[in-house]
């Protein structure tokens, strides 16, 4: 009996689905409308309580390139991505968020870049779309990298700090990864909220040599500001982002390129997280009164990472960050608390103003 060989798709697109019934239609449709058609979608229904899984099943019944995998219990974003990785059969894998969408030529552009330089990873820019609580688009902000086709680790590694400055290094959804490399290195997403993407990327890019960076913004990243600001509070926000800076510091040290310029940039990024934490500490859900916020601030001043990076940190464009760095260096805890309270008030009562300033507009 003749056996028909089933051809593996070039791209596997993993969509972990939980509570996204309002958006998953658009996400799947944006893939079906791609000008490059050699792909599969793996929707991982993470035991969602809404109709996300049902919607995905409807698409799967009409398109053989779409499969739905159901978790019997909710496991979280990272385990859902890992389930998709295990089931993937493509040459490259992409972890797309199902509440976002892509331009029709994204896959074609990624494929063309791989034809030019068969890279271990392909990275591209994105458009941040800011929505109010009614779901109305308020404004957009594009983040577009410079074009590069790296063929050696020595060429690629110095550019990572610039990618991190642009917020392009940490995300998983703006990168295509070589699936065989993930499996060879036995890489998985860790179940750590807020920093699961950067944790994965630090491990993935530690020893890669070939990377394509495309000067395009075909991915649309939805930021629903009012809902995010009022409903989400992460008690370990600062601890997790300090860990992020430590991982990056360790990576540049491992690469032996942790220059004063890189330390300066890492210091400015770290200062932003401290400033954000000062604001978040004013939230009632933090459980902190004034005395505890003051104690927290003094404890940060005493940490080794603070004393390693803050003295060399520079803020070229942000006035708020320049002021914060002066207060940090002179360890003016009371003034730091006042600045944190001021940012908290702006974020609470003028969230769109806050988001525009933060995004660089």
């Amino acid at each position: 009996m003749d056996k028909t060989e089933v051809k593996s798709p070039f791209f596997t697109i993993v969509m972990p689905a939980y509570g996204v019934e309002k958006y998953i239609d658009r996400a799947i449709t944006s893939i079906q409308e791609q000008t490059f058609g050699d792909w599969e979608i793996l929707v991982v229904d993470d035991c969602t309580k809404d109709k996300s899984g049902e919607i995905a099943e409807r698409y799967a019944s009409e398109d053989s390139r779409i499969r739905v995998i159901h978790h019997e219990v909710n496991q979280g974003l990272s385990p859902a991505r890992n389930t998709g990785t295990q089931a993937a059969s493509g040459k490259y894998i992409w972890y797309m968020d199902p509440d976002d969408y892509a331009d029709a030529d994204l896959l074609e552009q990624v494929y063309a870049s791989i034809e030019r330089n068969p890279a271990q990873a392909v990275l591209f820019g994105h458009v941040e779309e800011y929505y109010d609580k009614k779901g109305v688009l308020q404004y957009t902000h594009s983040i577009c990298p410079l074009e590069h086709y790296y063929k050696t680790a020595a060429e690629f590694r110095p550019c990572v700090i610039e990618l991190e400055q642009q917020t392009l290094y940490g995300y998983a959804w703006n990168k295509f990864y070589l699936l065989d490399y993930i499996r060879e290195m036995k890489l998985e997403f860790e179940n750590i909220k807020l920093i699961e993407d950067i944790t994965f990327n630090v491990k993935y890019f530690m020893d890669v040599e070939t990377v394509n960076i495309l000067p395009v913004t075909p991915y649309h990243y939805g930021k629903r500001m009012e809902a995010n600001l009022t409903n989400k509070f992460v008690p370990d926000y600062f601890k997790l982002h300090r860990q992020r800076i430590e991982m990056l510091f360790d990576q540049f040290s491992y690469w032996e390129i942790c220059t004063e310029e890189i330390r300066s940039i890492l210091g400015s990024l770290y200062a932003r997280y401290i400033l954000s934490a000062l604001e978040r500490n004013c939230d009632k859900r933090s459980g902190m009164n004034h005395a505890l916020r003051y104690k927290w601030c003094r404890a940060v001043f005493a940490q080794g990472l603070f004393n390693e990076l803050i003295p060399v940190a520079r803020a070229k464009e942000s006035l708020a960050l320049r002021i914060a760095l002066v207060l940090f260096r002179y360890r003016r805890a009371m003034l730091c608390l006042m600045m944190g309270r001021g940012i908290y008030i702006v974020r609470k009562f003028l969230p769109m103003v806050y988001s525009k300033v933060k995004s660089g507009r």
Side-chain angles (χ1 to χ4, degrees):
M1 184 174 66
D2 292 334
K3 293 184 178 180
T4 303
E5 183 179 348
V6 178
K7 181 179 178 293
S8 296
F10 195 81
F11 295 120
T12 292
I13 300 154
V14 174
M15 287 188 191
Y18 185 85
V20 289
E21 64 179 8
K22 293 181 180 179
Y23 316 109
I24 195 169
D25 269 301
R26 182 169 63 171
I28 294 175
T29 300
S30 75
I31 303 303
Q32 289 182 315
E33 293 175 348
Q34 291 292 309
T35 54
F36 182 89
D38 191 9
W39 51 261
E40 67 173 353
I41 295 177
L42 302 180
V43 177
V44 182
D45 170 11
D46 193 26
C47 198
T48 185
K49 296 178 182 179
D50 67 359
K51 295 182 179 179
S52 302
E54 295 176 30
I55 295 169
E57 285 285 9
R58 188 180 74 240
Y59 279 97
S61 69
E62 299 169 352
D63 192 331
S64 62
R65 298 172 296 179
I66 301 172
R67 287 190 286 150
V68 183
I69 303 169
H70 297 278
H71 280 175
E72 293 186 3
V73 296
N74 177 253
Q75 299 181 41
L77 174 62
S78 290
R81 283 174 170 171
N82 293 335
T83 294
T85 302
Q86 292 165 10
S89 59
K91 185 175 179 65
Y92 286 83
I93 190 167
W94 176 32
Y95 302 97
M96 179 183 179
D97 282 356
D99 52 353
D100 298 331
Y101 66 100
D103 290 343
D105 61 349
L106 188 155
L107 296 185
E108 185 176 358
Q109 292 186 84
V110 172
Y111 179 79
S113 82
I114 294 168
E115 287 284 283
R116 175 176 170 180
N117 183 42
Q120 292 163 294
V122 180
L123 179 152
F124 46 87
H126 62 274
V127 179
E128 294 176 345
E129 298 185 345
Y130 289 81
Y131 295 87
D132 64 18
K133 61 184 177 181
K134 296 180 181 179
V136 177
L137 180 65
Q138 295 297 303
Y139 71 96
T140 63
H141 176 62
S142 295
I143 301 176
C144 186
L146 297 175
E147 182 175 28
H148 288 289
Y149 287 81
Y150 295 105
K151 296 184 179 180
T152 68
E155 290 178 313
F156 167 67
R157 290 172 178 176
C159 94
V160 167
I161 192 65
E162 182 181 345
L163 294 173
E164 175 65 10
Q165 275 187 293
Q166 294 178 288
T167 71
L168 293 170
Y169 187 50
Y171 295 127
W173 41 252
N174 71 333
K175 299 172 186 69
F176 282 71
Y177 304 89
L178 188 63
L179 183 57
D180 282 348
Y181 187 74
I182 290 176
R183 290 173 172 166
E184 176 189 340
M185 301 301 294
K186 297 181 172 57
L187 298 179
E188 290 188 329
F189 284 91
E190 296 181 39
N191 205 5
I192 312 173
K193 288 186 177 179
L194 286 186
I195 61 168
E196 58 269 276
D197 287 17
I198 186 66
T199 302
F200 181 85
N201 284 333
V202 165
K203 291 185 293 185
Y204 185 89
F205 287 99
M206 193 65 78
D207 292 303
V208 303
E209 297 184 349
T210 53
V211 179
N212 298 343
I213 300 182
L214 309 185
V216 294
T217 57
Y219 189 84
H220 297 260
Y221 171 37
K223 302 194 78 169
R224 294 157 183 91
M225 295 306 296
E226 265 78 0
N228 287 342
L229 292 174
T230 56
N231 296 333
K232 292 184 179 180
F233 180 81
V234 181
D236 293 332
Y237 172 87
F238 179 69
K239 177 183 176 182
L240 292 169
H241 283 87
R242 184 183 66 209
Q243 183 179 337
R244 178 193 187 107
I245 297 297
E246 287 173 342
M247 285 189 295
L248 290 165
F249 184 83
D250 290 345
Q251 183 164 60
F252 288 113
S253 298
Y254 170 78
W255 287 340
E256 298 183 344
I257 58 169
C258 201
T259 62
E260 184 169 341
E261 175 66 17
I262 285 177
R263 288 169 60 240
S264 171
I265 295 170
L266 286 176
S268 69
L269 295 172
Y270 186 40
R272 289 179 186 274
Y273 292 135
I274 296 172
L275 194 56
S276 184
L278 285 167
E279 176 266 317
R280 291 165 187 266
N281 289 348
C282 295
D283 193 302
K284 291 181 180 179
R285 290 170 290 185
S286 72
M288 288 188 179
N289 57 23
H290 179 80
L292 289 175
R293 289 195 292 272
Y294 181 85
K295 183 178 180 181
W296 179 91
C297 202
R298 299 301 304 180
V300 170
F301 293 162
Q303 290 173 357
L305 191 65
F306 180 94
N307 291 291
E308 176 77 34
L309 297 178
I310 294 302
V312 297
R314 299 289 181 270
K316 296 179 180 178
E317 298 177 359
S318 171
L319 176 61
L321 189 59
R322 286 202 297 271
I323 294 170
L325 283 173
V326 172
L327 301 182
F328 294 163
R329 288 184 185 123
Y330 287 96
R331 291 168 168 73
R332 304 299 188 193
M334 291 299 296
L335 292 176
C336 288
L337 296 184
M338 290 174 61
M339 190 171 186
R341 173 63 69 177
I343 296 171
Y344 173 77
I345 291 170
V346 172
R347 189 184 192 200
K348 183 176 181 179
F349 295 104
L350 299 168
M352 278 299 165
V353 171
Y354 171 86
S355 68
K356 286 182 179 181
V357 172
K358 188 176 179 182
S359 67
R361 289 176 64 87

